[in-house]
Amino acid sequence: MLSIWLLYRELRGISFAELQDSFAAIGPRYWVLAGVSTLAAYAALAGYDHLALLHLRRHVGWLFVTLVSFTTYALSHNIGASVFSGAVVRYRAYSSKGLTAREVGVLVAFCSFTFAIGTILLLGLVLVLVPEVMERFVDVLPVEASATTGGLLLALVLLYVFGSWLHLRPLKIGTFELHYPRLPIVLRQLLIGPLELAAAAAIIYFALPAAGNPGYPVVLGIFLISFSIALMSHAPGGIGVLELAFITGLPDMDPADVLAALIVFRLLYLIVPFILSLFAILLFERAQYSRG
């Protein structure tokens, strides 16, 4: 609620007419590019589940896995508590294919880690290439970051790769064990994780106007920071938090243009997939009821 109030204070000078003008300025070509970026992002998200099943050495049909992944992320992105909501949806779906509760737990942990390592890798690269992006959040974030910080993040990724290469002992939490994935799977993680984030950031980039636009690398860095803050806030869909962080990170752009781009992002990446996921759940439950 605090984030929404702060956002209201930030945007109260924007009229509805200004917002309409910002939407009208987004040409058909950029809507198409934003739509393609959305498809690329969800295709990469499906790769999270496919890789997790490879890690578990379990075979499930690719179409079923893709639909489960799409439904899981469409719901968790909007509802919040992504780990819990994702676990519930995945358990309901994958248990119908013979996976145990433990295997689903490993799958959820694997997918969460793929997202985390992808974020670390991409943020590390951004900080090395455009370290000035953190200066945009100097009054918001309690920590400073630089190219050195980016190098340290990339070093963490290398340690993970070496851990897989050297077959280090698994992480144990009680009776739960999380083994290092095989090296070919790790390398795919390092491709799919950043790809999903880069495609999601591209949705906003294509919806932003050229005036004051700092370029895709900076927009990507702002997205990584803003999206991470939104996830940590546990606000459903990061509502208010994402917008406030993004507007803070783009002080040279018209707030109405930034807000319009973020609405496009929410529409394509969150709202439309959420509606489609509800239909997917209804069809799945109907099929399960018919079999039972």
Side-chain angles (χ1 to χ4, degrees), residues 130-197:
V130 281
E132 64 272 13
V133 71
M134 291 301 295
E135 296 175 6
R136 297 167 179 267
F137 296 92
V138 69
D139 296 326
V140 178
L141 297 177
V143 295
E144 295 183 3
S146 63
T148 303
T149 307
L152 291 174
L153 292 176
L154 294 178
L156 287 176
V157 175
L158 283 176
L159 285 176
Y160 173 59
V161 173
F162 278 119
S164 171
W165 182 46
L166 297 172
H167 304 289
L168 295 184
R169 296 169 62 183
L171 172 65
K172 290 186 178 181
I173 305 173
T175 59
F176 181 81
E177 288 188 0
L178 187 60
H179 293 259
Y180 274 92
R182 300 180 297 282
L183 189 57
I185 293 177
V186 167
L187 297 179
R188 292 188 202 180
Q189 278 183 297
L190 299 182
L191 174 64
I192 288 175
L195 176 61
E196 187 273 320
L197 293 161

Side-chain angles (χ1 to χ4, degrees), residues 4-142:
I4 295 175
W5 179 74
L6 290 172
L7 180 64
Y8 167 75
R9 287 189 59 190
E10 189 75 26
L11 300 178
R12 59 186 173 183
I14 298 176
S15 67
F16 185 69
E18 289 177 302
L19 193 57
Q20 281 184 312
D21 290 341
S22 295
F23 268 113
I26 304 172
R29 175 170 174 264
Y30 295 104
W31 276 99
V32 171
L33 289 171
V36 171
S37 298
T38 305
L39 293 175
Y42 273 94
L45 284 172
Y48 287 20
D49 283 52
H50 285 283
L51 282 182
L53 289 165
L54 279 176
H55 174 60
L56 289 167
R57 302 179 189 273
R58 296 298 298 263
H59 176 74
V60 180
W62 70 269
L63 180 59
F64 184 86
V65 174
T66 300
L67 289 174
V68 171
S69 172
F70 172 81
T71 303
T72 297
Y73 287 108
L75 288 174
S76 60
H77 285 159
N78 286 275
I79 296 173
S82 58
V83 173
F84 176 75
S85 56
V88 171
V89 174
R90 285 188 172 107
Y91 177 74
R92 177 68 178 150
Y94 287 126
S95 63
S96 71
K97 297 296 183 180
L99 269 71
T100 65
R102 179 188 173 280
E103 287 176 322
V104 174
V106 172
L107 186 145
V108 171
F110 183 97
C111 291
S112 297
F113 188 79
T114 299
F115 169 79
I117 200 69
T119 303
I120 292 170
L121 173 58
L122 207 51
L123 186 57
L125 289 172
V126 168
L127 289 178
V128 168
L129 297 174
V130 281
E132 64 272 13
V133 71
M134 291 301 295
E135 296 175 6
R136 297 167 179 267
F137 296 92
V138 69
D139 296 326
V140 178
L141 297 177

